[in-house]
Amino acid sequence: MAKTRIGVNGLIPNSELQNLDLIDLLSERHSMLRRIAEKAWNDQSEIYISNSEWYIMARIYNKRPTISYVTKNVNISRQAIHKFIKILSTKGLVEINNVENNKKEKCVQLTALGEECYERNMKLKAQLENKIAEKIGIDRVTILNDLLKLDWGIE
């Protein structure tokens, strides 16, 4: 396998993407998009939110899941999820409440500020998607979206 060079910004130069297989290509593009989205948010907001925090916020947006549900449905360690939820709570983005009729369980939901931030971030991601569509074409973005949503039968 060819040796891969990493650029100064942590990204593989576009010319070297040609040598990657599907799994590595998906990983590189995902990492690049996450970095760009995180930077876009953090450049325009005083509230720093990491990609892991966005990931958790996406799982609880418009819901009131239990923390144990979040830990089972987010691909981050249980300890890290608890840490991130505590950080999000400190930032005023989520609130943690007791579950009715269950003294052990806690549920989590976005605060009004958390929802506002999440919705503003969704607009920033839509702008990024539009930039991609301008570059590669709306038809290709639609096809890519459709392909990624298909059941790949590999789980």
Side-chain angles (χ1 to χ4, degrees), residues 31-41 128:
S31 295
M32 176 188 65
L33 290 171
R34 283 283 165 209
R35 276 192 291 271
I36 292 168
E38 183 177 8
K39 183 177 178 347
W41 170 264
L128 178 55

Side-chain angles (χ1 to χ4, degrees), residues 9-117:
N9 58 0
L11 301 176
I12 291 178
N14 218 28
S15 61
E16 294 197 23
L17 291 175
Q18 310 308 312
N19 299 323
L20 299 179
D21 60 27
L22 175 65
I23 293 166
D24 291 340
L25 273 171
L26 286 170
S27 178
E28 283 301 318
R29 291 299 190 183
H30 175 257
S31 295
M32 176 188 65
L33 290 171
R34 283 283 165 209
R35 276 192 291 271
I36 292 168
E38 183 177 8
K39 183 177 178 347
W41 170 264
N42 291 322
D43 284 351
Q44 62 91 47
S45 176
E46 292 181 14
I47 302 172
Y48 172 82
I49 303 175
S50 72
N51 282 321
S52 297
E53 291 165 342
W54 284 122
Y55 186 33
I56 291 168
M57 289 173 69
R59 291 294 187 263
I60 62 178
Y61 179 69
N62 281 336
K63 298 180 191 99
R64 276 187 63 147
T66 62
I67 292 177
S68 64
Y69 172 86
V70 174
T71 61
K72 290 175 189 158
N73 290 284
V74 172
N75 195 18
I76 302 174
S77 74
R78 187 181 66 77
Q79 294 85 353
I81 289 170
H82 282 273
K83 178 183 129 192
F84 286 128
I85 288 174
K86 197 174 270 190
I87 291 168
L88 289 167
S89 178
T90 301
K91 293 177 185 180
L93 300 172
V94 301
E95 61 185 22
I96 304 163
N97 298 302
N98 293 324
V99 173
E100 275 187 51
N101 304 319
N102 187 334
K103 294 182 193 249
K104 285 177 85 176
E105 280 284 4
K106 301 266 188 214
C107 65
V108 63
Q109 71 182 62
L110 294 179
T111 61
L113 175 62
E115 286 185 10
E116 178 190 329
C117 290

Side-chain angles (χ1 to χ4, degrees), residues 133-144:
E134 287 173 15
K135 185 74 175 171
I136 70 171
I138 190 75
D139 295 347
R140 287 183 172 156
V141 170
T142 301
I143 290 168
L144 180 58

Side-chain angles (χ1 to χ4, degrees), residues 112-140:
L113 175 62
E115 286 185 10
E116 178 190 329
C117 290
Y118 185 80
E119 290 165 1
R120 282 180 27 216
N121 191 54
M122 285 180 14
K123 289 178 184 170
L124 288 172
K125 291 192 305 183
Q127 290 171 359
L128 178 55
E129 189 173 324
N130 288 336
K131 282 184 182 178
I132 294 167
E134 287 173 15
K135 185 74 175 171
I136 70 171
I138 190 75
D139 295 347
R140 287 183 172 156

